[in-house]
């Protein structure tokens, strides 16, 4: 596949996957950079509460018909419930690389696992998009009608 085609597919994937994010595109160096965040929760099931958000930077570079993605700067951002029972960022953060989170060790380990799954999912979607296949979330299944019924 030619570099221009790969770059167009990467751009399309980034715009589809991160539609609300600011994306920095350098068409000369063939790089794409964006910052993403997703929520993490405590108390599984119906009683789940927002514990915070994980922020990270994503950089994708293209060179000689090959691309490289880098996920960096993983930071946990604390959330708390305000007077209106809405969860909002507190402004306090903690690097996800930190091993210990006193009083919250079990959720902290779960947040790290959730982050790992999130990144692996994004990588799989990116690879699928570059191979010119639509990510699973974009696929609309077709229903075949059987005339024998």
């Amino acid at each position: 596949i030619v570099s221009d085609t790969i770059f167009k597919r990467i751009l399309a994937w980034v715009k589809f996957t991160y539609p609300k994010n600011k994306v920095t595109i350098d068409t000369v160096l063939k790089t794409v950079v964006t910052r993403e965040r997703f929520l993490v929760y405590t108390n599984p099931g119906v009683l789940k509460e927002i514990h915070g958000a994980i922020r990270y930077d994503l950089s994708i570079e293209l060179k000689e018909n090959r691309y490289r993605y880098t996920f960096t700067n993983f930071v946990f951002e604390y959330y708390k419930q305000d007077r209106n029972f809405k969860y909002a960022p507190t402004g306090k953060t903690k690097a996800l690389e930190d091993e210990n989170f006193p009083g919250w060790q079990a959720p902290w380990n779960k947040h790290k696992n959730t982050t790992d799954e999130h990144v692996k999912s994004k990588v799989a979607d990116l690879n699928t998009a570059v191979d010119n296949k639509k990510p699973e979330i974009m696929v609309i299944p077709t229903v075949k009608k059987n005339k024998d019924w």
Side-chain angles (χ1 to χ4, degrees):
I1 305 174
V2 188
S3 286
D4 288 338
T5 305
I6 294 172
F7 194 63
K8 286 177 186 175
R9 290 175 183 172
I10 290 170
L11 288 177
W13 177 81
V14 168
K15 289 177 182 177
F16 175 80
T17 306
Y18 307 107
K20 297 179 182 179
N21 293 12
K22 178 184 176 203
V23 178
T24 305
I25 302 167
D26 186 334
T27 55
V28 176
L29 295 176
K30 304 265 191 210
T31 61
V32 180
V33 178
T34 189
R35 173 163 263 209
E36 172 62 346
R37 61 192 251 151
F38 63 95
L39 297 175
V40 289
Y41 302 90
T42 59
N43 301 336
V46 179
L47 300 175
K48 72 180 178 180
E49 295 179 29
I50 297 173
H51 188 216
I54 304 291
R55 291 189 323 229
Y56 64 88
D57 295 329
L58 170 60
S59 173
I60 305 172
E61 304 164 280
L62 181 66
K63 182 178 176 182
E64 299 172 4
N65 296 334
R66 296 178 299 158
Y67 63 97
R68 170 174 65 184
Y69 47 83
T70 310
F71 292 83
T72 56
N73 303 325
F74 289 93
V75 175
F76 174 76
E77 183 177 30
Y78 296 88
Y79 273 46
K80 72 175 186 177
Q81 205 173 36
D82 63 14
R83 294 181 197 168
N84 299 321
F85 301 103
K86 292 184 180 178
Y87 287 92
T90 63
K92 295 179 183 179
T93 60
K94 181 174 178 66
L96 202 64
E97 290 86 16
D98 290 352
E99 290 296 322
N100 297 320
F101 195 159
W104 291 95
Q105 194 62 45
W108 187 243
N109 292 336
K110 183 180 175 204
H111 297 340
K112 289 183 176 196
N113 289 334
T114 301
T115 302
D116 184 55
E117 291 169 8
H118 177 84
V119 168
K120 286 178 180 175
S121 170
K122 296 299 179 192
V123 168
D125 282 350
L126 173 61
N127 291 333
T128 301
V130 169
D131 290 340
N132 200 25
K133 298 175 184 171
K134 295 183 179 179
E136 290 181 24
I137 54 176
M138 294 175 65
V139 175
I140 301 170
T142 56
V143 178
K144 294 182 180 179
K145 294 184 179 180
N146 190 341
K147 294 181 180 182
D148 294 339
W149 287 92

